[in-house]
Amino acid sequence: MALMADRGALSPPQAALADCMVGVAAARIAEVLANYDVLAIVSSDYRARDIVVALGGAAPNAEIIFFPPSDALPGDTQPPTAANIGQRLSALRKAREAFRTTGRGRLVCVTTAEAASELLPEPKVFDTELPRLRLRDKLDAQAFAKSIRDLGYFEDDRVDEPAEYAIHGKVIDIFPADAASPVRVELLDGVVARLREFDSVSQRGLRDLPFLETGVAVEPEIAGKGKTLFDYFPGASVALDHGVAAERARFLSLAADAAEASRGVPAAARRKLVAKAAWDASLKSRSVVDLTAGPEERRIRFSAAPNPVRAMNAEITAALADKARVAVVGSAHDLRFVKKRLSKTILAAIKPVKSWSDVERGPRSRVAMLEMEVEQSWREAGRLVVSARDVLGSNAGLAAAAQDSGCHLLEIGDVCLGDVVIHEDHGVAVIAGLTHKSSAAGEKAPGEAIELEYAGGARRLIPVEEADRIWRYGADRSAVTLDNLDGTSWRKRRLVIDKAMTEAAIDLTRIAKENAKRRAVKIDPDAAAYNEFVTGFPFSETPDQTRAIKAVRDDLASGRPMDRLVIGDVGYGKTEVAMRAAALVAL
């Protein structure tokens, strides 16, 4: 690895060219991790997060820490959000604990120029343990509430943001400041009986936890001169993006302007920054890895080729003929799809590997296959890296299975214990659990039954074989009225529903007949241009998204007016479907 050189100021076009691809940056960092801990300072928050994801596959045995910048700008009178504080303090705590642990593995911290330019509290402030709850611990709800208020938490009726908590009798909901999901604490006779993550939007339970650790949501004071992020990673090599110097200068200028505009603000409330002398001294005392793009690096855009699969096979064949190392990288799912599309000759050379260091070892005649999520393919001296996502384009993630949270009662959609459901024949009820069937004599019969609870606590057993007659109802139990066990209330509901459906069907049929007579321009642009556009989407499509996208494309190419409604919950990808439709029209 080359040491950092003084390149001088870069103009914006030059800076864009100098930006090392995320996959290349992650590979370089992984190579350094073979011998040193690494503090990687990159040019932007988004880029840092992408590098963290890529490093998860490139260096799976290393502890990877992401230290985000503060989401409060210099001069802001409001403090950073609790979620941001929780993530930052959690990262510093992990670093402190790692360097106090003997026999640990390699450590890498990925951060930004802005985050590394702020002074931090003494590392020893993280030596105190965080409050932790375990199953069967005794707990006084009010005393617990007081202790977490001291950590920056505040009470709310509904817990859906970090650093919130709510007490509902024998249930305490809390959203740890450094966590991705809130946790429900269930008490029984003053003892913790259950700890369970739940979804902050739907409020549905997810997975059970063995313990709960409440992260801190308030920043500790910086005593004395403060410490730098370099102090938290003693002896670590530093990996620098080309834009770090410019980003640091911009941030310092912004902070100076804010300080000038807020002279009346107490000094304790102002952001404390790493001085130039301290910054330069920290870099001078370390080996510095340059993440600037080299002249030999060439991005390959398989998704823009008329036939991406054919282009991939040709590029791999040429690289093997040149005795270059070849790696195919991507998610486990996308690698399976790409593997099916490799030629027989290349397929015979495939060797699954577990890390980037494995890619660098072994004969050059093989094709390493590594679970490492990057969007771009590239070629450099002696190496070709093929991104499965780049090859698959809009088909990346096709039919990817959703992660099983472990809370499913049965393989009947998303139905879990406690969910409100509708049974086709018996109406609205709550899933009470699974139980064994009983024979006429009262003995257990082979097989299981789903236990549904109706109004007044009445129960009905439904054979598991009839699970396809049950659907989850999209509301909490407190928001619905359960039907009676005898079915009278459900029959009344059905009459109202059937009448509304009949009226809607009549209207829809009339509209459909009118639309069938109309014609429109057939919209079916060049496939390569469309694939190049969709490669920029950061997430893999779910099966439902993929079907919706195909249906919309078929509509646009049919020569009839578009008449389709895309329905999905918040964050389920409706906008992505619409953007693809807009791109098809624009192209």
mmCIF file of all heavy atoms in Angstrom, residues 48-67:
data_model
loop_
_atom_site.group_PDB
_atom_site.id
_atom_site.type_symbol
_atom_site.label_atom_id
_atom_site.label_comp_id
_atom_site.label_asym_id
_atom_site.label_seq_id
_atom_site.Cartn_x
_atom_site.Cartn_y
_atom_site.Cartn_z
ATOM 1 N N ALA A 48 -19.473 5.914 3.696
ATOM 2 C CA ALA A 48 -19.004 5.170 4.868
ATOM 3 C C ALA A 48 -19.903 3.976 5.158
ATOM 4 O O ALA A 48 -19.438 2.869 5.443
ATOM 5 C CB ALA A 48 -18.935 6.097 6.079
ATOM 6 N N ARG A 49 -21.207 4.179 5.080
ATOM 7 C CA ARG A 49 -22.148 3.082 5.351
ATOM 8 C C ARG A 49 -22.016 1.967 4.313
ATOM 9 O O ARG A 49 -22.099 0.781 4.644
ATOM 10 C CB ARG A 49 -23.582 3.626 5.382
ATOM 11 C CG ARG A 49 -23.840 4.584 6.540
ATOM 12 C CD ARG A 49 -25.224 5.203 6.464
ATOM 13 N NE ARG A 49 -25.399 6.266 7.435
ATOM 14 C CZ ARG A 49 -25.802 6.081 8.693
ATOM 15 N NH1 ARG A 49 -26.093 4.856 9.103
ATOM 16 N NH2 ARG A 49 -25.923 7.091 9.525
ATOM 17 N N ASP A 50 -21.813 2.337 3.041
ATOM 18 C CA ASP A 50 -21.637 1.318 1.997
ATOM 19 C C ASP A 50 -20.357 0.521 2.224
ATOM 20 O O ASP A 50 -20.320 -0.699 1.995
ATOM 21 C CB ASP A 50 -21.592 1.990 0.626
ATOM 22 C CG ASP A 50 -22.954 2.515 0.181
ATOM 23 O OD1 ASP A 50 -23.959 2.078 0.768
ATOM 24 O OD2 ASP A 50 -22.998 3.363 -0.730
ATOM 25 N N ILE A 51 -19.305 1.198 2.664
ATOM 26 C CA ILE A 51 -18.039 0.502 2.924
ATOM 27 C C ILE A 51 -18.194 -0.459 4.096
ATOM 28 O O ILE A 51 -17.646 -1.574 4.084
ATOM 29 C CB ILE A 51 -16.908 1.519 3.177
ATOM 30 C CG1 ILE A 51 -16.560 2.255 1.873
ATOM 31 C CG2 ILE A 51 -15.664 0.839 3.746
ATOM 32 C CD1 ILE A 51 -15.543 3.363 2.025
ATOM 33 N N VAL A 52 -18.955 -0.064 5.111
ATOM 34 C CA VAL A 52 -19.204 -0.948 6.253
ATOM 35 C C VAL A 52 -19.887 -2.231 5.792
ATOM 36 O O VAL A 52 -19.518 -3.340 6.203
ATOM 37 C CB VAL A 52 -20.066 -0.227 7.321
ATOM 38 C CG1 VAL A 52 -20.611 -1.224 8.338
ATOM 39 C CG2 VAL A 52 -19.253 0.845 8.029
ATOM 40 N N VAL A 53 -20.889 -2.104 4.912
ATOM 41 C CA VAL A 53 -21.597 -3.284 4.396
ATOM 42 C C VAL A 53 -20.636 -4.184 3.619
ATOM 43 O O VAL A 53 -20.622 -5.407 3.796
ATOM 44 C CB VAL A 53 -22.776 -2.848 3.502
ATOM 45 C CG1 VAL A 53 -23.398 -4.061 2.811
ATOM 46 C CG2 VAL A 53 -23.834 -2.129 4.330
ATOM 47 N N ALA A 54 -19.817 -3.578 2.763
ATOM 48 C CA ALA A 54 -18.872 -4.362 1.966
ATOM 49 C C ALA A 54 -17.839 -5.053 2.845
ATOM 50 O O ALA A 54 -17.459 -6.203 2.595
ATOM 51 C CB ALA A 54 -18.178 -3.461 0.944
ATOM 52 N N LEU A 55 -17.389 -4.368 3.892
ATOM 53 C CA LEU A 55 -16.397 -4.960 4.793
ATOM 54 C C LEU A 55 -16.956 -6.159 5.552
ATOM 55 O O LEU A 55 -16.203 -7.053 5.942
ATOM 56 C CB LEU A 55 -15.898 -3.914 5.791
ATOM 57 C CG LEU A 55 -14.826 -2.950 5.292
ATOM 58 C CD1 LEU A 55 -14.561 -1.862 6.339
ATOM 59 C CD2 LEU A 55 -13.526 -3.696 4.995
ATOM 60 N N GLY A 56 -18.275 -6.186 5.743
ATOM 61 C CA GLY A 56 -18.878 -7.334 6.418
ATOM 62 C C GLY A 56 -18.584 -8.632 5.700
ATOM 63 O O GLY A 56 -18.469 -9.687 6.332
ATOM 64 N N GLY A 57 -18.449 -8.578 4.359
ATOM 65 C CA GLY A 57 -18.084 -9.773 3.607
ATOM 66 C C GLY A 57 -16.604 -9.900 3.374
ATOM 67 O O GLY A 57 -16.054 -11.003 3.357
ATOM 68 N N ALA A 58 -15.915 -8.757 3.201
ATOM 69 C CA ALA A 58 -14.482 -8.788 2.911
ATOM 70 C C ALA A 58 -13.665 -9.203 4.125
ATOM 71 O O ALA A 58 -12.645 -9.878 3.996
ATOM 72 C CB ALA A 58 -14.015 -7.415 2.412
ATOM 73 N N ALA A 59 -14.094 -8.782 5.311
ATOM 74 C CA ALA A 59 -13.341 -9.098 6.540
ATOM 75 C C ALA A 59 -14.310 -9.567 7.621
ATOM 76 O O ALA A 59 -14.545 -8.884 8.618
ATOM 77 C CB ALA A 59 -12.564 -7.870 7.010
ATOM 78 N N PRO A 60 -14.910 -10.750 7.455
ATOM 79 C CA PRO A 60 -15.954 -11.206 8.389
ATOM 80 C C PRO A 60 -15.447 -11.468 9.799
ATOM 81 O O PRO A 60 -16.241 -11.483 10.742
ATOM 82 C CB PRO A 60 -16.462 -12.500 7.737
ATOM 83 C CG PRO A 60 -15.324 -12.976 6.891
ATOM 84 C CD PRO A 60 -14.647 -11.743 6.396
ATOM 85 N N ASN A 61 -14.145 -11.693 9.957
ATOM 86 C CA ASN A 61 -13.604 -11.982 11.291
ATOM 87 C C ASN A 61 -13.198 -10.730 12.051
ATOM 88 O O ASN A 61 -12.844 -10.810 13.231
ATOM 89 C CB ASN A 61 -12.397 -12.918 11.174
ATOM 90 C CG ASN A 61 -12.790 -14.286 10.624
ATOM 91 O OD1 ASN A 61 -13.875 -14.794 10.917
ATOM 92 N ND2 ASN A 61 -11.930 -14.878 9.816
ATOM 93 N N ALA A 62 -13.228 -9.569 11.397
ATOM 94 C CA ALA A 62 -12.861 -8.323 12.062
ATOM 95 C C ALA A 62 -14.080 -7.724 12.752
ATOM 96 O O ALA A 62 -15.223 -7.954 12.339
ATOM 97 C CB ALA A 62 -12.285 -7.334 11.060
ATOM 98 N N GLU A 63 -13.842 -6.952 13.817
ATOM 99 C CA GLU A 63 -14.926 -6.198 14.434
ATOM 100 C C GLU A 63 -15.036 -4.870 13.697
ATOM 101 O O GLU A 63 -14.085 -4.094 13.655
ATOM 102 C CB GLU A 63 -14.674 -5.958 15.919
ATOM 103 C CG GLU A 63 -15.823 -5.202 16.577
ATOM 104 C CD GLU A 63 -15.699 -5.075 18.082
ATOM 105 O OE1 GLU A 63 -14.713 -5.598 18.640
ATOM 106 O OE2 GLU A 63 -16.586 -4.442 18.700
ATOM 107 N N ILE A 64 -16.204 -4.619 13.121
ATOM 108 C CA ILE A 64 -16.406 -3.438 12.289
ATOM 109 C C ILE A 64 -17.277 -2.442 13.042
ATOM 110 O O ILE A 64 -18.390 -2.768 13.470
ATOM 111 C CB ILE A 64 -17.065 -3.817 10.951
ATOM 112 C CG1 ILE A 64 -16.213 -4.870 10.231
ATOM 113 C CG2 ILE A 64 -17.243 -2.588 10.063
ATOM 114 C CD1 ILE A 64 -16.916 -5.519 9.056
ATOM 115 N N ILE A 65 -16.771 -1.226 13.201
ATOM 116 C CA ILE A 65 -17.472 -0.173 13.926
ATOM 117 C C ILE A 65 -17.740 0.984 12.974
ATOM 118 O O ILE A 65 -16.846 1.413 12.244
ATOM 119 C CB ILE A 65 -16.642 0.324 15.128
ATOM 120 C CG1 ILE A 65 -16.439 -0.805 16.145
ATOM 121 C CG2 ILE A 65 -17.304 1.525 15.791
ATOM 122 C CD1 ILE A 65 -15.518 -0.433 17.283
ATOM 123 N N PHE A 66 -18.962 1.484 12.976
ATOM 124 C CA PHE A 66 -19.290 2.683 12.213
ATOM 125 C C PHE A 66 -19.507 3.830 13.183
ATOM 126 O O PHE A 66 -20.343 3.750 14.083
ATOM 127 C CB PHE A 66 -20.541 2.457 11.370
ATOM 128 C CG PHE A 66 -21.047 3.715 10.701
ATOM 129 C CD1 PHE A 66 -20.212 4.464 9.874
ATOM 130 C CD2 PHE A 66 -22.349 4.143 10.892
ATOM 131 C CE1 PHE A 66 -20.664 5.629 9.267
ATOM 132 C CE2 PHE A 66 -22.816 5.293 10.279
ATOM 133 C CZ PHE A 66 -21.964 6.036 9.474
ATOM 134 N N PHE A 67 -18.721 4.904 13.020
ATOM 135 C CA PHE A 67 -18.851 6.085 13.877
ATOM 136 C C PHE A 67 -19.419 7.216 13.024
ATOM 137 O O PHE A 67 -18.699 7.841 12.244
ATOM 138 C CB PHE A 67 -17.490 6.475 14.458
ATOM 139 C CG PHE A 67 -17.562 7.647 15.410
ATOM 140 C CD1 PHE A 67 -18.244 7.539 16.607
ATOM 141 C CD2 PHE A 67 -16.951 8.860 15.096
ATOM 142 C CE1 PHE A 67 -18.322 8.610 17.488
ATOM 143 C CE2 PHE A 67 -17.014 9.934 15.966
ATOM 144 C CZ PHE A 67 -17.703 9.804 17.170
#
